[in-house]
């Protein structure tokens, strides 16, 4: 560093929290005079004695820091190997999220994953055409697509465990009062009280001013401590979670906010809180994306699938068979982890009754598909066994006409379904066949 000290991030597994502001509150301007968005580099604290929860833990740390520093109501989530390919993509997402009718219940807008560096024949089925162009479009007609970990614009309040405003029974947030439930219009005395509350809000962001208020006024602040078990000990962050439309008070002190941002990315901040359980990205699986979106849908939120003609975002893919099979294995292990956890769609989320049955079936499919590798291995082994033994395993004299008809009818129905799906989605036969080929390769190899 400039003062001669070693860079604290040299050890990636043992370093203090670091925040570097490139474009701060005043920001910078482009050639047309428009203010550029703020740019902040964040590296959360890591210690050998603490679990960092990998990507999910990093996402939760970023949510807290961004809430303290800017508190924008919407969050764009991209993997580090993805880039923006369509400058109007975020605007298209905003059309859904800010719609006065639909947007109130939308937790995120998911874009399909598109990739660079894929050969013309897509030999390893990296495009996942059937999933992104058929399955996800179908889910958009139920309760929305699953969250796939990148290329997604979130409504911040949905990450805090709140339910959608249109459904009673789960906590919702109001920007005009610090109650967990909506209230009717106020009379002048209530408006005056809310004005005083706004002054207290500003005091939270400027922690040194709290002592200027009397005991009764400070009790209003102390009442917020009940949320510490949920959100953590940062009063600044707790206050930000109660601002439905986001933003910071004009009197917020930047130096105080930076100190608070360092605090919320410390290793021990999430201890004895709901982070990773009911708030933010959910821990407990390498496929935390599926689990996080599933819990939002269980609360009654819906998601939107947006497919602009020009791909919104593009990323990189495995370039060889070994890396591709390792990726498939990691996804399969994540699905098995969810299947064996308390968040399994087979038994989780029935109490609220807000997850539609077809949506539940779709989530069940995402966690049980790894088990199809067992019958797939048997199916692929039968021809070799028959050739080596010289015998047909299924005795022909036991097959009845009814059995033949049932088997034939099932096969024809599957073929017709696939043809209709390809016609509806515009997927080519080559892409569909490549997907089926690699499904077999991945199922018996990884």
């Amino acid at each position: 560093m400039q003062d001669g000290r070693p860079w604290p991030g040299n050890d990636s597994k043992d370093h203090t929290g670091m925040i570097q502001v490139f474009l701060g509150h005043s920001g910078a301007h482009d050639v047309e005079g428009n203010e550029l968005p703020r740019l902040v580099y964040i590296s959360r604290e890591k210690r050998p004695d603490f679990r960092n929860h990998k990507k999910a833990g990093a996402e939760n740390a970023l949510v807290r820091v961004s809430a303290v520093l800017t508190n924008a109501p919407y969050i764009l989530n991209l993997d580090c190997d993805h880039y923006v390919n369509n400058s109007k993509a975020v605007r298209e997402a905003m059309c859904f999220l800010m719609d006065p009718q639909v947007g109130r219940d939308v937790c995120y807008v998911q874009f399909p994953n598109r990739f660079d560096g894929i050969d013309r024949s897509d030999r390893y089925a990296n495009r996942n055409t059937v999933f992104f162009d058929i399955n996800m479009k179908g889910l958009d007609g139920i309760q929305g697509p699953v969250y796939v970990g990148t290329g997604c614009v979130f409504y911040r309040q949905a990450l805090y465990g709140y339910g959608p405003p249109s459904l009673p029974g789960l906590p919702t947030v109001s920007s005009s009062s610090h109650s967990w439930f909506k209230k009717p219009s106020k009379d002048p005395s209530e408006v005056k009280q809310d004005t005083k509350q706004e002054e207290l809000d500003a005091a939270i962001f400027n922690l040194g001013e709290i002592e200027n208020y009397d005991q009764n006024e400070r009790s209003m602040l102390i009442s917020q401590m009940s949320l510490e078990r949920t959100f953590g000990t940062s009063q600044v962050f707790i206050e930000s979670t109660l601002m439905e439309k986001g933003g910071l008070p004009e009197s917020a002190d930047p130096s105080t906010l930076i100190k608070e941002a360092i605090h919320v990315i410390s290793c021990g901040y999430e201890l004895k809180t709901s982070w990773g359980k009911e708030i933010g990205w959910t821990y407990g699986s390498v496929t935390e994306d599926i689990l996080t979106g599933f819990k939002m849908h269980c609360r009654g939120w819906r998601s939107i699938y947006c497919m602009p003609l020009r791909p919104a975002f593009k990323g990189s893919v495995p370039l060889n068979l070994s890396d591709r099979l390792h990726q498939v294995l990691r996804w399969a292990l994540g699905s098995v982890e969810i299947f064996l956890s308390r968040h399994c769609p087979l038994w989780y989320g029935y109490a609220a009754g807000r997850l539609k049955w077809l949506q539940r079936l779709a989530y069940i499919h995402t966690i049980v598909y790894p088990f199809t590798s067992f019958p797939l291995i048997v199916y692929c082994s039968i021809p070799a066994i028959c050739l080596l033994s010289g015998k047909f395993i299924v005795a022909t004299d036991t097959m009845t006409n009814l059995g033949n008809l049932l088997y034939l009818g099932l096969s024809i129905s599957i073929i017709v379904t696939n043809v209709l799906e390809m016609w509806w989605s515009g997927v080519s036969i080559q892409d569909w066949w490549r997907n089926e080929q690699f499904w077999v390769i991945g199922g018996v190899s990884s």
Side-chain angles (χ1 to χ4, degrees), residues 247-263:
L248 300 175
E250 294 181 358
S251 58
D253 183 7
S255 61
T256 301
L257 298 184
I258 289 292
K259 293 179 182 179
E260 200 69 16
I262 292 290
H263 171 52

Side-chain angles (χ1 to χ4, degrees), residues 6-15 18:
W7 173 249
N10 287 337
D11 189 345
S12 61
K13 297 182 180 179
D14 187 7
H15 63 80
M18 296 174 285

Side-chain angles (χ1 to χ4, degrees), residues 255-378:
S255 61
T256 301
L257 298 184
I258 289 292
K259 293 179 182 179
E260 200 69 16
I262 292 290
H263 171 52
V264 298
I265 59 175
S266 60
C267 285
Y269 184 82
E270 294 183 354
L271 295 178
K272 298 181 180 180
T273 68
S274 296
W275 284 101
K277 304 180 185 72
E278 302 299 329
I279 296 176
W281 273 256
T282 306
Y283 302 151
S285 173
V286 296
T287 52
E288 74 289 326
D289 43 8
I290 297 292
L291 200 53
T292 301
F294 169 64
K295 298 193 73 171
M296 290 183 182
H297 285 139
C298 286
R299 298 188 189 105
W301 293 96
R302 72 151 297 152
S303 54
I304 298 292
Y305 198 47
C306 184
M307 299 181 66
L309 294 178
R310 180 183 177 88
F313 312 102
K314 283 190 174 183
S316 58
V317 293
L319 299 179
N320 56 66
L321 182 60
S322 176
D323 291 344
R324 177 68 166 126
L325 290 177
H326 179 73
Q327 182 187 58
V328 172
L329 176 61
R330 184 170 59 85
W331 291 343
L333 289 177
S335 295
V336 173
E337 286 176 340
I338 298 175
F339 179 80
L340 298 176
S341 72
R342 71 182 186 91
H343 296 116
C344 178
L346 287 169
W347 50 72
Y348 182 85
Y350 286 97
R354 291 173 171 173
L355 186 67
K356 296 182 179 180
W357 280 100
L358 287 178
Q359 190 77 14
R360 183 179 295 277
L361 288 176
Y363 274 110
I364 291 174
H365 174 263
T366 63
I367 62 154
V368 301
Y369 83 89
F371 298 104
T372 61
S373 60
F374 297 112
L376 190 60
I377 291 174
V378 173

Side-chain angles (χ1 to χ4, degrees), residues 48 51 66 114 121 152 155 166 173 247 266 288 322 326 345 412 427:
R51 295 183 61 188
S66 63
R114 304 301 188 206
S121 61
C152 186
Y155 177 45
S166 63
V173 66
S266 60
E288 74 289 326
S322 176
H326 179 73
I412 293 176
V427 174

